[in-house]
Amino acid sequence: MFDEDRFADQIADQNFALDLDSDYFPPVETSPVRTNLVDALPPAPVEREYLQPPPSSSTIVSPRSASKTGPTFPTIAGLFPRCSVNLLGGSSFSGRTRFILPQFDHYAAGLPFLNRPVPDPPEQLGMIVCGRDGEDIKARIEQLGLKNLTDKTFPIARWSGRIRDESEYSPVFPLEKCYDDLTAAAGREPRFLLIESIQKLAPVNKISEYTPVCDFFDAMREWCKSHHCTVLGTVIKAKARQGAGYETISEQIYGAVMWADNVSCVIGIDRYSPAATIRKITILAKASYGEAAPLWADFNDDGCLELVAQPESRQDTASARLDKILDNHLLPGADQTRSDFVELGKLEGVGSRTVDRWLARCIDEGKLVKKGATSNSTYGKPLPN
C-alpha cells in the first residue's frame, strides 16, 4: 500500500543532499548563446617571437654568385683571395715599410709579388695612411727609388679620424672618403689597398676585445665585397716572448687573437739574428693550407728589403761578411777610413750604404770606435785595457 508520508520524507532527504552538493561543487556557468557566425569561430592563435628564424625561413647559405661589376679572380693567387682582409705584422723598426713598398712596386711593374705572379695587366693600387703622414710615405718611396709607385699608380690618402666607440662604426665611415679620393686621383677604383696601421680604424680601446674585433672584421669584409677590393693592413707584432704561448705570427699580433683568426693571410717580418741585417718572412695563408716555407730579405743599396736566398747560401748575409773582414783584417789600433771599408765591402759584393749601416751598428755595439766628426773620420777597434 502506498505510504504518502514515507514518500514525502524521501523527497525531502534528496533535496537536502542536493543542497550539500551545491555548497561544495558550484554549478558550471553556461556559455552565452552566440548570435552570429563570427562569434562561433575559434580564437586566433597567438603570434610567437622567434629568437632564431621561424621554421618557414631557410638558414641554408647559398654560394655567392659571381659579380657582374668587379673581378672575381684572386688578387694574389695562394695569398690574397678577392675581397679579403690580410695583415702584415712586425715589431717596431723591423722594416715593414721598407719591405712591403718594394713588393707593391714590383706589382705595379707586373713583376712577382712575394715570388707569386700578379694579374696581367696589374690592377689599380692605393694606400691609406692611418698612423703616419702621407708625405712621409711619399718621401720614403722616393728614398727607396721605387719608380713604379707614382701618384697615378699608387695614390696615397690619409685618414685622420678616430673611432671612439663601436656604436660609431660603419663600413662606410672610416674608408669611403679615402677610397673616393684614391679613385679620383687614379682615375679608376683601387682593387688592392695597403692600409698602414689598420688597427687605428677599430674602435679605440677595443682592439683587445673579442666581440668588437669580430664586428670590425665583419664590417671590413662587407666593405671589401662592396668594392671588389682586397686589403693588406700593417699591424704591430708586440707579443714575442718565448715560452709565453706566442710562438707563431698569428699569436704575436698586438690585441685580441681574433686579429689573426679573422683574416685570410698573415705575414710576419722578424730579424734573423741580432747581429744580421737579414729578415725572416713568415707567411700563414689559408689559401695555401698552412705555413709556407719562410722567405728571406736583406737591404739593398737603396735601403729596400728585397728577397734574397737563404742565409746559409749567402754566408749569413752581407753584414756577416763585413763582420768577417773586421775580425780578420783589422787589428786594434789600426784605423781605417770609411773609404777603406767601402773598398773592402766591394770585394765581398756589399754596397756602400750597407757599409754605412754596418759601421753605425758596430759603433753602437762597441766593436768600433769612431775618431773625428768629419768626412775624414777614421774607425778602429777599441784598444784592450
Side-chain angles (χ1 to χ4, degrees), residues 238-251:
K239 301 180 291 188
R241 187 170 58 188
Q242 295 297 317
Y246 304 135
E247 279 70 27
T248 64
I249 172 61
S250 59
E251 298 161 341

Side-chain angles (χ1 to χ4, degrees), residues 56-340:
S56 60
S57 299
S58 174
T59 59
I60 301 301
V61 178
S62 301
R64 188 160 59 94
S65 58
S67 170
K68 296 182 180 180
T69 59
T72 58
F73 53 84
T75 301
I76 301 291
L79 283 183
F80 309 143
R82 176 66 53 181
C83 306
S84 63
V85 183
N86 311 276
L87 297 178
L88 168 65
S91 59
S92 299
F93 301 102
S94 60
R96 294 187 307 272
T97 304
R98 290 178 179 271
F99 171 69
I100 200 58
L101 285 179
Q103 294 302 315
F104 273 84
D105 185 74
H106 295 168
Y107 184 102
L111 301 176
F113 184 101
L114 291 178
N115 287 343
R116 284 148 171 99
V118 303
D120 185 18
E123 296 186 281
Q124 180 62 49
L125 303 174
M127 183 174 184
I128 297 176
V129 181
C130 301
R132 302 171 64 174
D133 188 271
E135 295 303 320
D136 291 344
I137 297 297
K138 288 187 176 181
R140 179 58 55 86
I141 290 174
E142 182 177 356
Q143 175 196 5
L144 299 178
L146 305 178
K147 305 297 185 183
N148 298 301
L149 298 185
T150 65
D151 291 340
K152 195 79 170 177
T153 62
F154 192 70
I156 300 172
R158 187 174 191 277
W159 182 75
S160 57
R162 197 75 173 101
I163 306 299
R164 292 299 168 188
D165 62 75
E166 58 267 38
S167 64
E168 297 179 28
Y169 187 79
S170 74
V172 175
F173 175 64
L175 295 174
E176 200 64 31
K177 178 62 169 61
C178 291
Y179 189 83
D180 289 344
D181 291 343
L182 295 176
T183 302
R188 58 176 182 163
E189 294 182 337
R191 302 297 189 193
F192 189 13
L193 276 184
L194 177 62
I195 301 182
E196 182 264 342
S197 298
I198 192 173
Q199 287 180 324
K200 290 202 171 185
L201 293 176
V204 65
N205 299 327
K206 299 292 184 179
I207 66 172
S208 296
E209 296 186 21
Y210 178 92
T211 300
V213 171
C214 290
D215 292 343
F216 170 80
F217 276 106
D218 287 343
M220 282 294 301
R221 280 190 291 268
E222 287 302 316
W223 186 88
C224 288
K225 289 178 183 178
S226 67
H227 293 77
H228 307 279
C229 182
T230 297
V231 165
L232 176 60
T234 67
V235 293
I236 289 292
K237 187 171 68 66
K239 301 180 291 188
R241 187 170 58 188
Q242 295 297 317
Y246 304 135
E247 279 70 27
T248 64
I249 172 61
S250 59
E251 298 161 341
Q252 296 168 1
I253 294 173
Y254 180 65
V257 295
M258 301 311 294
W259 279 100
D261 192 64
N262 275 276
V263 299
S264 297
C265 179
V266 182
I267 303 172
I269 178 169
D270 299 275
R271 287 181 178 271
Y272 176 61
S273 69
T277 59
I278 204 165
R279 301 295 193 267
K280 180 181 179 181
I281 311 301
T282 305
I283 299 175
L284 287 170
K286 294 178 181 178
S288 298
Y289 306 103
E291 182 174 343
L295 301 175
W296 310 92
D298 200 359
F299 291 96
N300 65 12
D301 285 348
D302 292 323
C304 297
L305 274 169
E306 292 282 11
L307 295 179
V308 296
Q310 292 187 17
E312 291 75 14
S313 63
R314 304 183 76 246
Q315 299 181 356
D316 202 13
T317 76
S319 180
R321 297 198 294 274
L322 292 172
D323 286 340
K324 186 180 295 184
I325 292 175
L326 181 64
D327 295 336
N328 297 336
H329 299 286
L330 190 62
L331 298 175
D335 296 340
Q336 301 281 343
T337 64
R338 173 187 174 278
S339 298
D340 294 332

